[in-house]
Amino acid sequence: MELRNNTRISGFLLLGFSEDPKMQPLLYGLFFSMYLITMLGNLLIILAILSDSHLHTPMYFFLSNLSFVDICFTSTTVPKMLVNIQTQSKIISYAGCITQMYFFLLFVELDNFLLAVMAYDRFAAICHPLHYTVMMNRPLCMLLVLMSWFVSVLHALLQSLMVLRLSFCTDLEIPHFFCELNQVVQLTCSDTFLNDLVMYFALVLLATVPLAGILYSYSKIASSIRAISSAQGKYKAFSTCASHLSVVSLFYCTGLGVYLSSAATHSSHSSATASVMYTVVTPMLNPFIYSLRNKDVKRALKRLLEGKL
C-alpha cells in the first residue's frame, strides 16, 4: 500500500459541541465530572476483582478486562477535549489525530469483542454448568482476550494506514469532539472509494459477527432458563447474566442510535452529541450496572473500601 499525504497539513480543528464561550465552562465541568466517575468506577471494579479471590473466575476476569478497556476508551477522547476547552484551542495535530483515531478504533472494537466473549461465558455457565470449568479453562480465557486484542489492533492499524494514503483539502474542520474516522475521510481531496469499501466491510464484519454470537448465546440461555422448573432457579440463572445483558443493550443501542440519528438528520453536530452516549456515558455507567446488580461485586467493593479506610 502506498503511503502518502499532503505534507502541508499540520493539523485539524475539532469544532466540538458549541462555539458559545458561555457554554465552555459548563461543558468542561460536565465532561470532567463524567471522566472522573468513569475512571474511579472502573478502577474500583478492577481493584475489587484483583483483591477478592472469590472473583478470580472467567466471568470476572473478562469484566476486569472490560473495565480496563473502558478506561482506555474514554481516555482516548475526553482528555484532549478538556485540554482544548481549557486552552480555548481547537487544534489537534495531524499525527495526534491519526493516533487518536487508531486508539479509538482499537478500544471500541475491543469493547465489542469482550462483550461477545462474556456472552459466550454466560452461555457456557447456564447451558453447560457441569462442563463449565472445562469449557472456560484459564488458557482458553487468555486466548479469547488475546485474540480480541489481535484482531482489534489489526483492524485499527488497517484503517489508520488507509487514512495515511489520503491527501487533504484546505477545509480541515472536523465537526466532532474527536477524530472520528468517517469525519476525517470526508475532508480528503483523494478518491475515497477504497477507504469507504474497507470501512463499511469492516463495520459489517466486525460488528455483525460478535453481535450474532451474543444473540445466539442469549437465545440458548433463554431456552435453558425456560426449561428450569422452579421460579427461584429461573431467577438465579437470569440474575447471573442480567448485568451483562444490560451493558450489551446499552452499548449496541447507543451505538446504533448514533448512526441512525446521523443518517436521519445529516447533521455532524447531532452525530457528535449522540456519540457522547457510547463514548462517555456507557463506560461511565458500566461499573454502576455491575456493582448495583451483582452481590459478589458489591461485597468485594465493600471489603475493598473498608480495607482502605
Side-chain angles (χ1 to χ4, degrees), residues 26-237:
L26 177 61
L27 289 171
Y28 185 89
L30 177 63
F31 281 94
F32 183 71
S33 300
M34 290 195 292
Y35 182 64
L36 284 183
I37 293 170
T38 301
M39 295 290 288
L40 181 61
N42 283 288
L43 187 60
L44 283 175
I45 291 289
I46 294 172
L47 291 176
I49 292 172
L50 291 176
S51 64
D52 193 332
S53 59
H54 295 96
L55 300 184
H56 294 175
T57 63
M59 181 175 75
Y60 296 110
F61 170 70
F62 296 134
L63 175 58
S64 63
N65 275 273
L66 181 68
S67 292
F68 172 74
V69 170
D70 279 343
I71 289 173
C72 297
F73 183 33
T74 307
S75 298
T76 301
T77 57
V78 176
K80 176 59 180 173
M81 181 183 63
L82 293 176
V83 169
N84 284 1
I85 293 175
Q86 182 69 25
T87 60
Q88 297 182 354
S89 170
K90 298 179 181 295
I91 298 174
I92 183 170
S93 68
Y94 179 81
C97 187
I98 299 298
T99 303
Q100 187 184 64
M101 185 193 311
Y102 170 81
F103 283 107
F104 177 82
L105 291 169
L106 168 63
F107 293 122
V108 75
E109 206 56 61
L110 270 171
D111 251 347
N112 193 26
F113 282 125
L114 285 174
L115 289 175
V117 169
M118 292 172 76
Y120 175 71
D121 172 73
R122 293 300 81 209
F123 160 75
I126 294 174
C127 300
H128 303 281
L130 299 179
H131 302 95
Y132 177 69
T133 54
V134 177
M135 293 176 66
M136 299 303 297
N137 57 76
R138 185 170 182 80
L140 178 61
C141 293
M142 295 291 292
L143 180 62
L144 289 172
V145 172
L146 287 175
M147 285 300 297
S148 297
W149 274 91
F150 180 71
V151 176
S152 300
V153 165
L154 285 184
H155 171 242
L157 185 61
L158 173 62
Q159 297 287 10
S160 300
L161 290 174
M162 292 294 293
V163 173
L164 285 174
R165 60 184 286 275
L166 301 174
S167 296
F168 290 91
C169 307
T170 54
D171 182 13
L172 300 175
E173 295 183 346
I174 301 175
H176 219 298
F177 66 96
F178 67 95
C179 288
E180 198 265 336
L181 175 61
N182 189 46
Q183 297 287 343
V184 174
V185 171
Q186 288 179 13
L187 299 179
T188 184
C189 299
S190 307
D191 180 19
T192 62
F193 174 77
L194 186 57
N195 290 74
D196 292 337
L197 184 65
V198 172
M199 189 191 312
Y200 291 113
F201 177 77
L203 177 65
V204 171
L205 181 64
L206 298 179
T208 302
V209 172
L211 181 58
I214 292 172
L215 293 175
Y216 175 80
S217 297
Y218 274 104
S219 67
K220 291 297 184 181
I221 289 172
S223 298
S224 296
I225 291 177
R226 282 200 304 268
I228 299 175
S229 56
S230 68
Q232 184 178 0
K234 289 183 178 180
Y235 174 78
K236 184 178 180 180

